Amino acid sequence: MEENYRMVRRQNALDALEEQTMKRLLSILLLAAVAVACTAALPVETEAAAMGYYTYSIIGGKATITSVSSAISGNVTIPSTFGGYTVTGIGNYAFNCCTHVTSVTIPDSVTKIGDCAFYSCTSLTEMTIPDRVTSIGSCAFYYCAELTAISIPDSLVSIGNNAFADCAKLTDITLPNGVTDIGNFAFSGCNLLTIHCEEGLEAENYAKKSGIPIAYIGAVTHAHDYASDWTTDENSHWHPCSGCEEKGDYAAHAWNDGEVTKEATEAETGLKKYTCTVCDATKEETLDKLDVTANQGRNPPEGKFPWWIVIVPIVVIGGGAAAILFLKKKKKA
């Protein structure tokens, strides 16, 4: 009886061990299957390869430019394929400090321009971005100091922070309707820039917030209502429109010849006030202190009477008269 009980317990233990083993085996097989599935889903990346001036990598069967030799120069046309792979991206810092490049033609297959991609390309003057590009990374064209013209495609959605900062010669850029995200300081330091866009879009909002002039594309939906009073800054005056940022009669100040409001002395500086003949804005100029040495031997400063002109003749005449009286008395004696 006891022996049968022991055999039953032994069999139950073996059954339990077999069940645990099967569960563990199934878990291992399940994990292996998941790992294989995940590996298959990941893009295959090859080692970096080089062709001419370019270094590139392959991700998911597509080529991305990762770096470009600083020796590259002139008018550059980026190849559309590397090693048989289509170029779809210009990576972060790819053309960084390629200071001898004057223009770049990007292939139509490119969809993304990375962060700092053309940072400090100081000789770059013009650029056409192809129709498939959807994003321009942060600082992508930062300090392209000679850039005067760039064509933006309708496909563009986002412009990163400082993307065109300090492009001091950039005068005009047209932002399409699809741009919904413009980063902070995207056009900081572009003091000659006018943004061309349609009314009521993100580009208009950004331009108004940043104080960048706007040239509207198409009809403006309101009639300009210009204020009668002048608005001024240090250099200019204008009549602002109450419905938009349009500046009517915008012009530089026309300063008059000025009026001295405080005379300069040897101890203190003076002041001279100028008035704009159009808007009555004023500015002041500091007059230097009088130079004492400069007045020596010259006419005295305005407002000071030259008393020596009176005193000297009196002394001479008085001395002469005394001498004559002295001689007469001596002669009588």
Side-chain angles (χ1 to χ4, degrees):
M1 185 72 177
E2 181 68 23
E3 184 65 26
N4 290 337
Y5 177 72
R6 288 178 179 176
M7 290 180 64
V8 170
R9 289 184 62 188
R10 189 181 298 114
Q11 186 61 45
N12 289 340
L14 289 173
D15 291 343
L17 178 62
E18 183 179 1
E19 183 179 357
Q20 290 179 2
T21 302
M22 290 297 297
K23 286 181 178 179
R24 289 176 182 175
L25 181 59
L26 287 172
S27 297
I28 291 171
L29 291 173
L30 180 61
L31 289 172
V34 171
V36 170
C38 291
T39 302
L42 291 173
V44 178
E45 182 173 354
T46 67
E47 294 183 1
M51 188 179 83
Y53 292 109
Y54 304 93
T55 300
Y56 63 95
S57 61
I58 307 301
I59 301 176
K62 307 293 183 181
T64 295
I65 299 171
T66 55
S67 66
V68 181
S69 170
S70 60
I72 196 169
S73 63
N75 301 323
V76 174
T77 299
I78 299 174
S80 58
T81 61
F82 288 118
Y85 296 96
T86 301
V87 177
T88 59
I90 300 176
N92 298 342
Y93 296 93
F95 281 82
N96 176 38
C97 293
C98 289
T99 56
H100 302 295
V101 173
T102 55
S103 70
V104 177
T105 300
I106 301 174
D108 292 338
S109 53
V110 169
T111 60
K112 180 180 179 180
I113 297 175
D115 296 344
C116 301
F118 295 92
Y119 173 78
S120 197
C121 289
T122 52
S123 297
L124 183 66
T125 59
E126 59 181 332
M127 167 78 74
T128 298
I129 298 177
D131 290 336
R132 293 185 182 181
V133 172
T134 59
S135 66
I136 296 175
S138 296
C139 302
F141 295 92
Y142 195 134
Y143 196 56
C144 290
E146 296 297 318
L147 185 65
T148 58
I150 186 163
S151 176
I152 302 295
D154 291 338
S155 58
L156 190 68
V157 174
S158 66
I159 300 173
N161 298 336
N162 296 291
F164 295 92
D166 289 339
C167 292
K169 293 188 177 181
L170 188 61
T171 56
D172 296 277
I173 191 167
T174 299
L175 298 182
N177 299 354
V179 175
T180 57
D181 182 19
I182 302 176
N184 296 328
F185 309 108
F187 297 95
S188 173
C190 300
N191 298 326
L192 303 178
L193 181 66
T194 296
I195 289 179
H196 298 253
C197 64
E198 291 190 12
E199 189 180 16
L201 300 175
E202 176 59 24
E204 180 192 27
N205 295 334
Y206 175 85
K208 288 181 177 180
K209 180 176 66 176
S210 304
I212 299 174
I214 303 171
Y216 288 103
I217 300 172
V220 178
T221 57
H222 74 274
H224 292 305
D225 180 19
Y226 295 112
S228 58
D229 294 333
W230 290 102
T231 295
T232 67
D233 59 21
E234 183 180 355
N235 301 308
S236 310
H237 53 248
W238 63 91
H239 292 294
C241 174
S242 60
C244 68
E245 298 298 313
E246 182 72 18
K247 297 178 179 180
D249 302 319
Y250 184 88
H253 289 307
W255 301 113
N256 64 7
D257 295 332
E259 175 187 4
V260 175
T261 58
K262 178 185 176 183
E263 294 284 354
T265 66
E266 296 171 4
E268 293 184 340
T269 57
L271 288 175
K272 189 174 185 179
K273 184 174 76 172
Y274 296 87
T275 303
C276 176
T277 59
V278 177
C279 69
D280 292 330
T282 61
K283 69 174 182 177
E284 285 190 325
E285 177 185 78
T286 300
L287 302 178
D288 294 335
K289 295 178 182 179
L290 295 181
D291 187 348
V292 179
T293 58
N295 289 321
Q296 292 179 355
R298 300 181 182 179
N299 292 331
E302 185 179 348
K304 291 186 178 182
F305 186 77
W307 292 105
W308 59 269
I309 295 176
V310 176
I311 294 172
V312 171
I314 291 174
V315 171
V316 172
I317 294 171
I324 292 171
L325 290 173
F326 175 76
L327 291 173
K328 284 183 177 180
K329 289 180 179 180
K330 189 175 181 180
K331 188 174 181 181
K332 287 180 180 180

